[in-house]
Amino acid sequence: MNNILSDSENRVVLNVGGIRHEAYKATLKKIPATRLSRLTEALANYDPVLNEYFFDRHPGVFGQILNYYRTGKLHYPTDVCGPLFEEELEFWGLDSNQVEPCCWMTYTQHRDTQETLAVLERLDLDTEKPTEEELARKFGYEEAYAKGKVNWWQHLKPKLWSLMDEPYSSNAAKIVGIISVFFICVSIVSFCLKTHPDMRVPVIKNITVKTADNGTAWTLDKQQTNAHEFFFYIECICNAWFTFEILIRFISSPNKCEFIMSLVNIIDYIATASFFVDLCLQKFASHLENADILEFFSIIRIMRLFKLTRHSSGLKILVQTFRASAKELTLLVFFLVLGIVIFASLVYYAERIQTNPHNDFNSIPLGLWWALVTMTTVGYGDMTPKTYIGMFVGALCALAGVLTIALPVPVIVSNFAMYYSHTQARAKLPKKRRRVIPVEQLLGGGRPHQPPMKNDGGPNNLSNSNVPKRPKDLIGAKIGNIPIGTSVLALCPQTMQLHKGLAGAPLRQTFDKTFESKGPPIVAPNFESKKSDEKCYL
């Protein structure tokens, strides 16, 4: 009988989210300095009637928490989100780094997701319209907004920026975005078509030639061809729009330094400046020899295609995918360069071992071109090994190229799928969420404050008062700075004896009904058995 009583005294009942768990006190002492290792009956969440501790926490996670106390191994439940599991570990006072290696990758997956969401937040893929306060903070007139002294330019500047740089912010911005895309496409098409022979006009000059009888005659000679004059006017119109657009965007930008250092903006104003430089060269340097070579630098205008990333979230995700896969791409280039140098040297010496009158590999630099074409599985066929040893080296080069290129590709595809899936999920989520009121506000502001009863000189004492307070008297009372959200029941002696027999609880119970004991607990009065004063306040 004594063994049964001692065993029951060593057990603890834990009610977590409505599910009761039972464990030995010694089990909870295995991990010191945690919440479960410091359980006492003086805590607020101890129920003396049911003889259990109640925690309003996630019951599914607590199963793994309690298993950690029993086995010393912390596993991650796959049916909960990572941040929720971290919050539960923090509440119970456990270290998240103690998760077992078998669950570590699954457990830390949410951290990668949070990093991805942070990147998407910086990409400004959301179409939600910011508030006036957010605009004031973004454009640096927060103080003027707080004082109510916002001038006309501070009102106009965010509207101009949204109109020119955020295509999905309004219907007018969508129209401006369509116009910008139209001029980009027309400029690129014009740049390509003006090089077609049917779109060029020959430059014909009259020259004097000598005839057979030592006479002179005039003839026409076609020295070169120029693009049709129509393309010049198209480029003037397009670049006029580009110049106007970049000036308005620069003037209305919230951060001038960030605007100037943006890669897409650098391409934009270099391409626009190249048009005006080309005009000056055609006017003042057309007589110079090899002046046409300067037109090569106008190829920067094709880079305007990157401006389309401002109008397409898919292109933004693609660019971000290459940024996130920079390590894999660097590793790919490194192994390609390593393989190219090795196989170019091998094929050069392999073709020289045997007699080979039609040897295509006269030097290692020529072998570098062959190795690059072979490893990238292009295979132009302009250079081929003729000897058996050279063919063997070529086979190894092709196999190494397939393996080298195929290994990093799944990582890049996985990054793109991750960013794209999160973007689609963010687009479908509601912009406004329901506000959840904290529990502390409910406890502190849920009931009105009532003053305590006056001292009427009764026989019972509670601290400095001679009258035990009724439950309604404690509504609105405070323990330190924490308000009491529930009432305290002053039990009569008969009721105390009944509870002692049912639950084995002592006569002096703690009635602190806040969360954990953040202040001194309220102790029930030490009732004295007097027949004249035996009464219960229910």
Side-chain angles (χ1 to χ4, degrees):
M1 190 68 177
N2 293 331
N3 293 333
I4 297 175
L5 292 175
S6 62
D7 183 70
S8 61
E9 291 177 356
N10 291 329
R11 284 183 292 179
V12 179
V13 178
L14 305 171
N15 188 339
V16 181
I19 298 179
R20 302 174 78 248
H21 301 266
E22 196 167 357
Y24 286 107
K25 294 180 180 179
T27 302
L28 303 181
K29 298 291 184 181
K30 288 183 178 180
I31 307 177
T34 58
R35 187 177 292 269
L36 293 179
S37 66
R38 299 192 299 264
L39 294 179
T40 62
E41 295 181 357
L43 294 177
N45 53 355
Y46 176 70
D47 190 343
V49 179
L50 300 177
N51 192 24
E52 67 179 18
Y53 296 88
F54 177 75
F55 295 93
D56 192 11
R57 306 300 298 187
H58 195 286
V61 176
F62 185 73
Q64 299 296 335
I65 300 294
L66 190 57
N67 184 68
Y68 179 40
Y69 281 89
R70 291 167 177 164
T71 63
K73 294 182 179 180
L74 181 60
H75 293 278
Y76 172 67
T78 57
D79 57 342
V80 298
C81 190
L84 172 61
F85 187 61
E86 283 189 343
E87 289 177 3
E88 293 297 313
L89 291 179
E90 183 180 359
F91 174 79
W92 297 110
L94 299 177
D95 187 7
S96 60
N97 294 324
Q98 299 301 319
V99 177
E100 291 298 308
C102 58
C103 301
W104 182 254
M105 293 302 297
T106 308
Y107 165 63
T108 56
Q109 186 177 5
H110 74 279
R111 298 179 182 176
D112 299 333
T113 303
Q114 290 175 336
E115 292 179 1
T116 303
L117 295 176
V119 170
L120 296 178
E121 189 73 24
R122 293 194 298 268
L123 291 180
D124 294 331
L125 297 177
D126 290 338
T127 59
E128 184 180 5
K129 188 176 181 179
T131 61
E132 291 290 337
E133 185 177 357
E134 292 174 348
L135 288 175
R137 189 182 304 111
K138 182 178 180 180
F139 285 85
Y141 60 91
E142 189 174 3
E143 295 182 0
Y145 175 79
K147 297 178 181 179
K149 298 180 180 179
V150 182
N151 55 35
W152 66 272
W153 173 242
Q154 291 172 341
H155 271 296
L156 182 62
K157 188 176 180 181
K159 295 180 180 179
L160 282 177
W161 176 256
S162 300
L163 184 67
M164 303 299 296
D165 198 75
E166 298 175 357
Y168 300 100
S169 59
S170 63
N171 292 330
K174 290 180 181 179
I175 296 174
V176 173
I178 292 173
I179 295 174
S180 179
V181 172
F182 172 76
F183 279 114
I184 291 172
C185 295
V186 169
S187 176
I188 299 300
V189 171
S190 173
F191 182 80
C192 296
L193 288 181
K194 72 178 183 180
T195 60
H196 194 276
D198 296 337
M199 300 291 179
R200 299 184 69 85
V201 178
V203 178
I204 300 175
K205 291 185 178 181
N206 294 328
I207 59 174
T208 303
V209 294
K210 290 184 179 181
T211 59
D213 55 353
N214 292 329
T216 59
W218 296 93
T219 185
L220 299 177
D221 183 28
K222 185 180 77 171
Q223 294 182 345
Q224 62 181 6
T225 59
N226 291 333
H228 196 276
E229 191 177 3
F230 177 71
F231 292 107
F232 172 75
Y233 294 115
I234 291 178
E235 287 191 355
C236 287
I237 296 173
C238 292
N239 282 275
W241 167 260
F242 295 141
T243 304
F244 169 77
E245 182 185 27
I246 198 170
L247 286 177
I248 296 298
R249 291 178 62 236
F250 176 76
I251 293 172
S252 61
S253 62
N255 191 332
K256 299 295 189 294
C257 294
E258 184 178 348
F259 180 87
I260 293 174
M261 298 303 295
S262 176
L263 181 60
V264 177
N265 294 333
I266 291 175
I267 294 173
D268 193 9
Y269 47 73
I270 288 179
T272 305
S274 68
F275 171 75
F276 297 103
V277 172
D278 193 18
L279 284 180
C280 295
L281 291 176
Q282 288 179 5
K283 185 174 182 179
F284 300 106
S286 58
H287 62 282
L288 297 178
E289 232 180 280
N290 299 326
D292 293 339
I293 299 178
L294 299 176
E295 291 185 1
F296 174 77
F297 296 100
S298 63
I299 200 172
I300 191 67
R301 299 175 196 173
I302 297 180
M303 305 299 288
R304 279 203 183 101
L305 288 172
F306 287 100
K307 289 181 62 178
L308 297 177
T309 56
R310 293 193 298 109
H311 307 276
S312 173
S313 60
L315 290 176
K316 285 184 179 180
I317 296 171
L318 184 61
V319 173
Q320 183 58 39
T321 300
F322 286 113
R323 288 181 181 176
S325 307
K327 293 182 180 179
E328 289 78 11
L329 292 174
T330 304
L331 190 65
L332 172 63
V333 172
F334 173 75
F335 281 113
L336 274 178
V337 172
L338 185 64
I340 288 170
V341 174
I342 292 175
F343 288 108
S345 303
L346 287 176
V347 76
Y348 171 74
Y349 289 105
E351 289 293 288
R352 295 171 61 88
I353 292 176
Q354 298 180 4
T355 303
N356 186 10
H358 303 289
N359 186 10
D360 294 331
F361 302 92
N362 296 323
S363 63
I364 292 181
L366 290 176
L368 294 175
W369 166 252
W370 169 84
L372 173 63
V373 172
T374 305
M375 290 193 71
T376 54
T377 67
V378 176
Y380 289 117
D382 54 343
M383 299 175 62
T384 55
K386 305 296 190 303
T387 63
Y388 290 107
I389 299 178
M391 293 178 183
F392 179 73
V393 172
L396 293 179
C397 181
L399 291 175
V402 170
L403 294 176
T404 302
I405 295 176
L407 289 177
V409 168
V411 179
I412 301 174
V413 174
S414 175
N415 288 336
F416 180 81
M418 178 180 62
Y419 284 115
Y420 188 78
S421 61
H422 284 297
T423 304
Q424 295 299 317
R426 284 166 57 92
K428 296 177 181 178
L429 283 175
K431 301 301 180 184
K432 294 182 179 180
R433 302 296 186 88
R434 177 177 293 178
R435 181 173 175 266
V436 180
I437 302 176
V439 180
E440 289 78 3
Q441 293 185 12
L442 288 176
L443 292 176
R447 299 185 181 184
H449 175 73
Q450 296 183 3
M453 293 180 59
K454 294 182 180 180
N455 186 359
D456 57 359
N460 296 328
N461 295 325
L462 176 61
S463 183
N464 295 328
S465 177
N466 295 325
V467 179
K469 296 182 180 180
R470 292 185 175 90
K472 64 178 183 179
D473 300 328
L474 288 176
I475 299 175
K478 294 185 177 181
I479 303 175
N481 293 325
I482 302 174
I484 299 175
T486 56
S487 61
V488 179
L489 180 62
L491 299 173
C492 62
Q494 289 86 349
T495 311
M496 298 293 288
Q497 293 293 335
L498 177 62
H499 280 255
K500 180 178 180 182
L502 292 176
L507 288 177
R508 297 180 62 86
Q509 299 291 347
T510 57
F511 294 92
D512 181 8
K513 296 300 183 181
T514 57
F515 287 98
E516 299 299 319
S517 56
K518 298 181 180 178
I522 296 179
V523 184
N526 186 10
F527 293 102
E528 298 178 359
S529 178
K530 293 185 180 181
K531 294 183 180 180
S532 60
D533 296 325
E534 287 181 358
K535 54 178 75 174
C536 293
Y537 297 109
L538 300 178

